[in-house]
Amino acid sequence: MDTHDGASSNPHGVSGRRSGDEPDWADILRRRLPPAADVERLVDVFQLMADPGRVRILATLLEAGETCVHDLASVSGLSESSASQALRLMRAHRVVATRRSGRHVFYRLNDSHVRMLLDLAITHIGHSPVIGVAVTSDSESSVHPIHQESA
């Protein structure tokens, strides 16, 4: 949007032109970023989701609630050893939590934030085709079953 004198402005009303004592918009945005340590932790969480086996585990937990390693391995197509290793990693990042019952350990998503993040990501891919990929008329059938009511 242009102001009457031709200076551009951003949505927050900070002018594109500035005097010597005004910070520029990039400086303002830079100061509003989360601290570097928080950014790194966020990157770690997103990297957890950069593996198809882990995504299958997370999607299973989103659907089932709580599940043992044996079933998570079976559904995700991973060996029990690989599934256990993935779950250890996710537990270290507080993405999943555990409950022990005798000799069995059951895994679940750690909290509502993790559930919301996964739910939004699955919903997003159901509504946002990848650039360069043809979208077919049956694209709705690719929506995750738990999202079909809202799709």
Side-chain angles (χ1 to χ4, degrees), residues 60-79:
T60 301
L61 292 173
L62 183 63
E63 178 74 20
E66 187 177 77
T67 310
C68 68
V69 174
H70 172 77
D71 290 337
L72 289 169
S74 178
V75 171
S76 67
L78 298 173
S79 67

Side-chain angles (χ1 to χ4, degrees), residues 36-80:
D38 290 352
V39 170
E40 290 301 319
R41 289 175 57 205
L42 184 58
V43 167
D44 288 344
V45 169
F46 280 116
Q47 284 177 339
L48 287 174
M49 295 183 203
D51 175 81
R54 291 192 296 256
V55 169
R56 285 188 208 98
I57 288 172
L58 292 169
T60 301
L61 292 173
L62 183 63
E63 178 74 20
E66 187 177 77
T67 310
C68 68
V69 174
H70 172 77
D71 290 337
L72 289 169
S74 178
V75 171
S76 67
L78 298 173
S79 67
E80 282 192 40

